[in-house]
Amino acid sequence: MTSSSTPAIRIEDLGKTYAGGKRALDGVSLEVKQGEFFGLLGPNGAGKSTLINILAGLVTKSEGKVDIWGFDIDQHPRNAKLSIGIVPQEILFDPFFTPREALEIQAGLYGVPKGERRSDELLAAMRLTDKAHAYSRTLSGGMKRRLLVAKAMVHSPPILVLDEPTAGVDIELRQQLWEYVKELHASGVTVILTTHYLEEAEQLCERIAIINHGKVVANEPTRQLLSRAQEKNVVVTVDRDLSEVPANICFDKVVLEGERSLAITYQKDKVNAGEVLAALQRDGLGIVDVVTREPDLEDVFLSLVRR
Ligand SMILES: Nc1ncnc2c1ncn2[C@@H]1O[C@H](COP(=O)(O)OP(=O)(O)OP(=O)(O)O)[C@@H](O)[C@H]1O
Protein backbone atom coordinates (compact mmCIF):
# COMPACT_ATOMS: atom_id res chain seq x y z
CA MET A 1 0.00 0.00 0.00
CA THR A 2 2.68 2.44 1.01
CA SER A 3 5.39 3.16 -1.55
CA SER A 4 8.13 5.70 -1.01
CA SER A 5 6.14 8.24 -2.99
CA THR A 6 3.02 7.93 -0.83
CA PRO A 7 2.79 10.98 1.43
CA ALA A 8 3.21 10.24 5.15
CA ILE A 9 0.03 12.24 5.71
CA ARG A 10 -2.49 13.38 3.14
CA ILE A 11 -5.35 15.61 4.24
CA GLU A 12 -8.00 16.65 1.76
CA ASP A 13 -10.66 19.24 2.40
CA LEU A 14 -10.83 18.44 6.09
CA GLY A 15 -13.55 20.13 8.13
CA LYS A 16 -14.64 19.95 11.74
CA THR A 17 -17.66 21.56 13.33
CA TYR A 18 -17.97 20.85 17.08
CA ALA A 19 -21.32 20.01 18.66
CA GLY A 20 -21.86 23.60 19.81
CA GLY A 21 -21.47 24.81 16.22
CA LYS A 22 -17.84 25.99 16.41
CA ARG A 23 -16.16 25.56 13.02
CA ALA A 24 -12.64 24.55 14.11
CA LEU A 25 -11.32 23.35 10.71
CA ASP A 26 -12.53 24.47 7.31
CA GLY A 27 -11.32 23.05 4.00
CA VAL A 28 -7.86 22.06 5.22
CA SER A 29 -5.69 20.30 2.63
CA LEU A 30 -2.10 19.36 3.44
CA GLU A 31 0.52 16.80 2.53
CA VAL A 32 3.47 15.78 4.64
CA LYS A 33 6.15 13.87 2.76
CA GLN A 34 7.79 10.75 4.12
CA GLY A 35 10.87 11.69 6.15
CA GLU A 36 9.92 15.37 6.33
CA PHE A 37 10.22 17.54 9.45
CA PHE A 38 6.97 19.47 9.20
CA GLY A 39 5.85 22.41 11.33
CA LEU A 40 2.22 23.25 12.02
CA LEU A 41 1.95 26.76 13.42
CA GLY A 42 -0.92 28.98 14.36
CA PRO A 43 -2.21 31.21 17.15
CA ASN A 44 -4.23 29.88 20.09
CA GLY A 45 -7.52 28.41 18.98
CA ALA A 46 -6.46 28.15 15.32
CA GLY A 47 -7.40 24.48 15.11
CA LYS A 48 -4.02 22.73 15.50
CA SER A 49 -5.09 20.44 18.34
CA THR A 50 -8.30 19.59 16.52
CA LEU A 51 -6.25 18.54 13.49
CA ILE A 52 -3.88 16.46 15.60
CA ASN A 53 -6.72 14.89 17.55
CA ILE A 54 -8.32 13.83 14.26
CA LEU A 55 -5.01 12.21 13.26
CA ALA A 56 -4.89 10.52 16.68
CA GLY A 57 -8.41 9.19 16.28
CA LEU A 58 -9.60 11.19 19.31
CA VAL A 59 -11.85 13.60 17.43
CA THR A 60 -14.14 12.61 14.53
CA LYS A 61 -13.95 14.81 11.47
CA SER A 62 -17.08 16.37 10.02
CA GLU A 63 -15.93 16.06 6.42
CA GLY A 64 -12.91 15.43 4.23
CA LYS A 65 -10.41 12.62 3.81
CA VAL A 66 -7.34 11.77 5.85
CA ASP A 67 -4.72 9.16 4.92
CA ILE A 68 -1.99 8.25 7.37
CA TRP A 69 0.90 6.35 5.74
CA GLY A 70 -1.45 5.53 2.88
CA PHE A 71 -4.22 4.24 5.15
CA ASP A 72 -7.58 6.01 5.07
CA ILE A 73 -8.54 6.68 8.70
CA ASP A 74 -12.16 5.65 8.06
CA GLN A 75 -11.46 2.51 6.05
CA HIS A 76 -8.29 1.31 7.80
CA PRO A 77 -8.37 2.92 11.25
CA ARG A 78 -6.16 0.28 12.87
CA ASN A 79 -3.35 0.49 10.31
CA ALA A 80 -3.62 4.28 10.36
CA LYS A 81 -3.29 4.29 14.16
CA LEU A 82 -0.32 1.93 14.10
CA SER A 83 1.47 4.27 11.68
CA ILE A 84 1.51 7.28 13.98
CA GLY A 85 2.81 8.13 17.44
CA ILE A 86 1.48 11.21 19.19
CA VAL A 87 3.12 13.16 21.99
CA PRO A 88 0.22 15.04 23.57
CA GLN A 89 0.27 18.57 24.93
CA GLU A 90 -0.81 17.55 28.42
CA ILE A 91 1.42 15.48 30.67
CA LEU A 92 -0.84 12.74 31.99
CA PHE A 93 0.55 9.59 33.62
CA ASP A 94 -0.56 7.16 36.18
CA PRO A 95 1.78 8.32 38.95
CA PHE A 96 2.12 4.84 40.42
CA PHE A 97 3.68 3.20 37.37
CA THR A 98 7.38 3.34 36.73
CA PRO A 99 8.57 4.59 33.31
CA ARG A 100 9.38 1.02 32.28
CA GLU A 101 5.93 -0.20 33.30
CA ALA A 102 4.30 2.73 31.50
CA LEU A 103 6.10 1.76 28.29
CA GLU A 104 5.22 -1.93 28.65
CA ILE A 105 1.53 -1.09 29.19
CA GLN A 106 1.51 1.22 26.19
CA ALA A 107 3.18 -1.47 24.03
CA GLY A 108 0.52 -3.91 25.23
CA LEU A 109 -2.23 -1.49 24.15
CA TYR A 110 -0.71 -1.43 20.67
CA GLY A 111 -0.47 -5.21 20.59
CA VAL A 112 3.33 -5.28 20.39
CA PRO A 113 4.38 -8.87 21.32
CA LYS A 114 6.62 -9.14 24.41
CA GLY A 115 9.62 -10.30 22.37
CA GLU A 116 9.41 -7.24 20.12
CA ARG A 117 9.09 -4.58 22.80
CA ARG A 118 11.71 -1.87 22.94
CA SER A 119 11.15 -0.44 26.42
CA ASP A 120 14.80 -0.58 27.51
CA GLU A 121 16.07 0.76 24.20
CA LEU A 122 13.58 3.67 24.34
CA LEU A 123 14.47 4.45 27.97
CA ALA A 124 18.14 4.54 26.98
CA ALA A 125 17.44 6.74 23.95
CA MET A 126 15.54 9.16 26.16
CA ARG A 127 18.32 9.05 28.81
CA LEU A 128 15.89 7.60 31.34
CA THR A 129 17.59 4.25 32.05
CA ASP A 130 18.44 5.21 35.63
CA LYS A 131 14.80 6.19 36.20
CA ALA A 132 13.38 2.98 34.70
CA HIS A 133 12.07 1.77 38.05
CA ALA A 134 11.26 5.10 39.73
CA TYR A 135 7.67 6.20 40.18
CA SER A 136 6.64 8.47 37.31
CA ARG A 137 5.48 11.09 39.81
CA THR A 138 9.08 11.55 40.97
CA LEU A 139 10.31 12.53 37.48
CA SER A 140 11.12 16.13 36.61
CA GLY A 141 9.02 17.93 34.00
CA GLY A 142 11.66 17.38 31.32
CA MET A 143 11.93 13.68 32.14
CA LYS A 144 8.16 13.34 31.89
CA ARG A 145 8.24 14.95 28.45
CA ARG A 146 10.93 12.51 27.36
CA LEU A 147 8.87 9.62 28.70
CA LEU A 148 5.94 10.88 26.59
CA VAL A 149 8.14 10.75 23.49
CA ALA A 150 9.20 7.19 24.40
CA LYS A 151 5.53 6.24 24.90
CA ALA A 152 4.64 7.59 21.48
CA MET A 153 7.36 5.41 19.92
CA VAL A 154 6.60 2.00 21.55
CA HIS A 155 5.05 0.63 18.36
CA SER A 156 7.86 2.05 16.17
CA PRO A 157 5.56 4.24 14.06
CA PRO A 158 7.05 5.86 10.95
CA ILE A 159 5.38 9.17 11.91
CA LEU A 160 5.84 11.06 15.18
CA VAL A 161 3.60 14.02 16.04
CA LEU A 162 4.62 16.41 18.81
CA ASP A 163 1.89 18.76 20.01
CA GLU A 164 3.49 21.78 21.70
CA PRO A 165 6.14 19.57 23.30
CA THR A 166 8.21 22.38 24.73
CA ALA A 167 5.52 24.65 26.16
CA GLY A 168 6.69 25.58 29.63
CA VAL A 169 9.90 23.54 29.33
CA ASP A 170 13.12 25.40 30.08
CA ILE A 171 15.68 26.07 27.36
CA GLU A 172 18.18 23.37 28.35
CA LEU A 173 15.53 20.66 28.42
CA ARG A 174 14.12 21.90 25.15
CA GLN A 175 17.54 21.48 23.56
CA GLN A 176 17.82 17.93 24.95
CA LEU A 177 14.37 17.00 23.70
CA TRP A 178 15.25 18.32 20.24
CA GLU A 179 18.46 16.30 20.17
CA TYR A 180 16.41 13.12 20.58
CA VAL A 181 13.81 14.15 18.06
CA LYS A 182 16.53 15.05 15.58
CA GLU A 183 18.05 11.58 16.05
CA LEU A 184 14.68 10.00 15.31
CA HIS A 185 14.28 12.19 12.25
CA ALA A 186 17.79 11.29 11.06
CA SER A 187 16.83 7.61 11.34
CA GLY A 188 13.98 8.23 8.88
CA VAL A 189 11.01 9.08 11.12
CA THR A 190 8.61 11.71 9.71
CA VAL A 191 8.14 14.40 12.36
CA ILE A 192 5.22 16.80 12.68
CA LEU A 193 5.55 19.52 15.25
CA THR A 194 3.16 22.14 16.52
CA THR A 195 4.76 24.97 18.41
CA HIS A 196 4.26 28.56 19.40
CA TYR A 197 8.00 29.16 19.18
CA LEU A 198 8.71 30.45 15.70
CA GLU A 199 12.44 30.20 16.27
CA GLU A 200 12.11 26.51 17.06
CA ALA A 201 10.10 25.87 13.90
CA GLU A 202 12.58 27.89 11.88
CA GLN A 203 15.52 25.81 13.12
CA LEU A 204 13.95 22.38 12.86
CA CYS A 205 11.25 22.25 10.21
CA GLU A 206 11.82 21.79 6.50
CA ARG A 207 8.30 22.94 5.70
CA ILE A 208 5.87 25.06 7.68
CA ALA A 209 2.11 25.32 7.39
CA ILE A 210 0.37 28.16 9.19
CA ILE A 211 -3.23 27.68 10.19
CA ASN A 212 -5.57 30.44 11.32
CA HIS A 213 -9.29 30.31 12.11
CA GLY A 214 -9.35 26.71 10.87
CA LYS A 215 -7.84 27.50 7.44
CA VAL A 216 -4.35 27.01 6.01
CA VAL A 217 -2.93 30.48 5.30
CA ALA A 218 0.59 29.38 4.30
CA ASN A 219 2.26 26.09 3.44
CA GLU A 220 5.78 26.52 2.16
CA PRO A 221 9.34 25.31 2.56
CA THR A 222 10.75 27.12 5.60
CA ARG A 223 13.37 28.90 3.49
CA GLN A 224 10.69 30.30 1.19
CA LEU A 225 8.61 31.45 4.13
CA LEU A 226 11.66 33.12 5.62
CA SER A 227 12.43 34.83 2.35
CA ARG A 228 9.20 36.73 2.87
CA ALA A 229 11.08 38.31 5.75
CA GLN A 230 13.39 39.74 3.09
CA GLU A 231 10.55 42.07 2.30
CA LYS A 232 11.18 45.48 3.70
CA ASN A 233 8.62 48.24 3.93
CA VAL A 234 9.27 51.93 3.68
CA VAL A 235 6.73 54.72 3.76
CA VAL A 236 7.94 57.79 1.87
CA THR A 237 6.31 61.21 1.99
CA VAL A 238 7.03 63.28 -1.13
CA ASP A 239 6.80 67.00 -1.82
CA ARG A 240 3.83 67.04 -4.17
CA ASP A 241 0.46 65.42 -4.75
CA LEU A 242 0.59 62.21 -6.74
CA SER A 243 -2.10 61.26 -9.17
CA GLU A 244 -0.63 57.85 -9.93
CA VAL A 245 1.75 55.37 -8.39
CA PRO A 246 5.29 55.56 -9.80
CA ALA A 247 6.62 52.25 -11.12
CA ASN A 248 10.22 51.13 -10.79
CA ILE A 249 12.02 47.81 -10.91
CA CYS A 250 13.44 48.55 -7.45
CA PHE A 251 9.95 48.21 -6.00
CA ASP A 252 8.13 44.96 -5.35
CA LYS A 253 4.94 46.73 -4.55
CA VAL A 254 3.88 50.38 -4.23
CA VAL A 255 0.67 51.60 -2.65
CA LEU A 256 -0.50 55.20 -2.60
CA GLU A 257 -1.46 55.71 1.05
CA GLY A 258 -2.40 59.37 0.86
CA GLU A 259 -1.94 62.06 -1.75
CA ARG A 260 1.75 62.40 -0.90
CA SER A 261 2.52 59.15 0.85
CA LEU A 262 3.83 55.97 -0.79
CA ALA A 263 4.16 52.61 0.95
CA ILE A 264 6.89 50.76 -0.90
CA THR A 265 7.83 47.11 -0.43
CA TYR A 266 11.22 45.96 -1.69
CA GLN A 267 13.52 42.98 -1.27
CA LYS A 268 16.35 43.99 1.00
CA ASP A 269 18.67 41.38 -0.50
CA LYS A 270 18.25 43.00 -3.94
CA VAL A 271 18.18 46.75 -3.33
CA ASN A 272 18.83 49.09 -0.44
CA ALA A 273 16.81 52.01 0.87
CA GLY A 274 19.14 54.52 -0.85
CA GLU A 275 18.41 53.00 -4.28
CA VAL A 276 14.67 53.05 -3.57
CA LEU A 277 14.79 56.75 -2.68
CA ALA A 278 17.08 57.55 -5.62
CA ALA A 279 14.52 55.96 -7.96
CA LEU A 280 11.86 58.34 -6.67
CA GLN A 281 14.18 61.32 -7.01
CA ARG A 282 14.94 60.38 -10.61
CA ASP A 283 11.21 60.72 -11.20
CA GLY A 284 11.54 64.31 -10.01
CA LEU A 285 10.04 63.73 -6.57
CA GLY A 286 11.48 65.45 -3.53
CA ILE A 287 11.64 63.31 -0.35
CA VAL A 288 10.09 64.94 2.73
CA ASP A 289 10.01 62.02 5.17
CA VAL A 290 10.94 58.34 5.33
CA VAL A 291 9.79 55.67 7.82
CA THR A 292 11.25 52.15 7.56
CA ARG A 293 10.41 48.87 9.18
CA GLU A 294 12.39 45.61 9.29
CA PRO A 295 10.21 42.50 9.31
CA ASP A 296 11.22 39.12 10.77
CA LEU A 297 9.60 35.68 10.76
CA GLU A 298 7.25 36.81 13.48
CA ASP A 299 6.03 39.61 11.22
CA VAL A 300 5.50 37.16 8.39
CA PHE A 301 3.51 35.01 10.79
CA LEU A 302 1.50 37.91 12.14
CA SER A 303 0.81 39.38 8.72
CA LEU A 304 -0.58 35.99 7.66
CA VAL A 305 -2.73 35.37 10.72
CA ARG A 306 -4.14 38.89 10.87
CA ARG A 307 -5.71 38.67 7.45
N1 LIG B 1 -14.51 19.86 22.21
C1 LIG B 1 -14.75 21.07 21.73
N2 LIG B 1 -16.00 21.56 21.66
C2 LIG B 1 -16.26 22.78 21.14
N3 LIG B 1 -15.29 23.61 20.67
C3 LIG B 1 -14.03 23.18 20.71
C4 LIG B 1 -13.67 21.90 21.24
N4 LIG B 1 -12.33 21.76 21.15
C5 LIG B 1 -11.87 22.89 20.60
N5 LIG B 1 -12.87 23.75 20.33
C6 LIG B 1 -12.77 25.09 19.70
O1 LIG B 1 -12.26 24.92 18.39
C7 LIG B 1 -11.31 25.95 18.07
C8 LIG B 1 -9.96 25.32 17.72
O2 LIG B 1 -9.41 24.76 18.91
P1 LIG B 1 -8.04 23.95 18.93
O3 LIG B 1 -7.82 23.45 20.32
O4 LIG B 1 -8.01 22.98 17.82
O5 LIG B 1 -6.99 25.11 18.62
P2 LIG B 1 -5.41 25.14 18.77
O6 LIG B 1 -4.89 25.77 17.51
O7 LIG B 1 -4.90 23.80 19.10
O8 LIG B 1 -5.17 26.09 19.98
P3 LIG B 1 -4.10 25.97 21.18
O9 LIG B 1 -2.80 26.36 20.60
O10 LIG B 1 -4.65 26.97 22.17
O11 LIG B 1 -4.17 24.56 21.68
C9 LIG B 1 -11.27 26.85 19.30
O12 LIG B 1 -12.15 27.93 19.07
C10 LIG B 1 -11.77 25.98 20.42
O13 LIG B 1 -12.40 26.74 21.41
Side-chain angles (χ1 to χ4, degrees):
M1 280 233 24
T2 313
S3 75
S4 59
S5 62
T6 309
I9 305 269
R10 173 183 281 149
I11 296 173
E12 272 174 53
D13 227 0
L14 180 65
K16 173 66 189 177
T17 307
Y18 281 107
K22 173 74 199 174
R23 186 82 174 144
L25 293 174
D26 187 16
V28 169
S29 295
L30 284 177
E31 261 187 31
V32 179
K33 289 200 192 90
Q34 288 185 29
E36 199 163 46
F37 205 129
F38 189 95
L40 184 65
L41 309 186
N44 285 333
K48 305 177 300 291
S49 296
T50 300
L51 180 70
I52 284 169
N53 287 335
I54 291 172
L55 295 177
L58 298 171
V59 166
T60 21
K61 60 187 168 56
S62 305
E63 69 268 340
K65 183 171 157 45
V66 177
D67 290 347
I68 299 176
W69 211 246
F71 299 109
D72 184 298
I73 60 167
D74 296 325
Q75 286 163 24
H76 303 283
R78 192 175 149 72
N79 281 335
K81 204 172 161 61
L82 284 172
S83 304
I84 198 163
I86 305 222
V87 182
Q89 224 174 83
E90 304 282 326
I91 299 182
L92 278 177
F93 291 112
D94 189 321
F96 297 106
F97 288 125
T98 68
R100 197 173 188 291
E101 285 165 346
L103 295 184
E104 286 290 309
I105 291 166
Q106 184 79 356
L109 290 175
Y110 276 93
V112 182
K114 279 226 155 67
E116 290 172 26
R117 293 195 186 161
R118 308 165 53 207
S119 302
D120 293 323
E121 180 195 328
L122 286 168
L123 287 170
M126 298 299 146
R127 315 293 190 264
L128 286 172
T129 302
D130 58 341
K131 296 284 172 187
H133 304 292
Y135 283 131
S136 293
R137 64 162 186 256
T138 65
L139 302 183
S140 70
M143 290 172 182
K144 286 179 182 155
R145 286 269 169 212
R146 271 139 57 195
L147 181 55
L148 282 179
V149 177
K151 264 182 90 175
M153 293 302 296
V154 290
H155 55 299
S156 313
I159 306 168
L160 177 66
V161 178
L162 300 130
D163 190 6
E164 292 280 348
T166 49
V169 175
D170 73 39
I171 289 182
E172 198 185 328
L173 290 172
R174 261 155 68 180
Q175 296 300 350
Q176 282 180 17
L177 184 72
W178 290 131
E179 289 312 312
Y180 308 137
V181 174
K182 279 198 240 173
E183 279 172 30
L184 287 173
H185 180 240
S187 74
V189 174
T190 305
V191 182
I192 301 173
L193 160 74
T194 79
T195 178
H196 276 100
Y197 299 102
L198 292 173
E199 233 175 274
E200 217 159 69
E202 187 179 327
Q203 281 169 20
L204 294 160
C205 301
E206 292 156 297
R207 175 176 275 272
I208 293 177
I210 298 177
I211 173 164
N212 191 35
H213 297 304
K215 290 182 194 282
V216 176
V217 293
N219 178 7
E220 290 168 33
T222 308
R223 224 177 301 140
Q224 199 173 312
L225 198 66
L226 279 170
S227 76
R228 295 207 199 183
Q230 292 291 343
E231 280 186 358
K232 204 163 159 156
N233 304 301
V234 56
V235 178
V236 183
T237 309
V238 294
D239 61 353
R240 74 199 61 162
D241 288 356
L242 295 163
S243 53
E244 60 182 28
V245 172
N248 191 285
I249 50 159
C250 288
F251 314 149
D252 253 25
K253 195 171 123 199
V254 193
V255 178
L256 195 56
E257 287 205 326
E259 274 160 356
R260 298 187 172 196
S261 189
L262 290 166
I264 299 172
T265 305
Y266 63 94
Q267 299 286 320
K268 69 171 189 230
D269 57 336
K270 297 205 183 98
V271 288
N272 61 42
E275 289 165 313
V276 169
L277 298 180
L280 293 173
Q281 284 167 327
R282 272 198 304 276
D283 278 350
L285 296 169
I287 313 280
V288 177
D289 193 20
V290 181
V291 180
T292 61
R293 246 186 89 243
E294 186 100 30
D296 55 19
L297 185 61
E298 195 156 340
D299 283 314
V300 177
F301 180 79
L302 289 175
S303 74
L304 287 164
V305 300
R306 270 189 194 139
R307 268 183 205 160

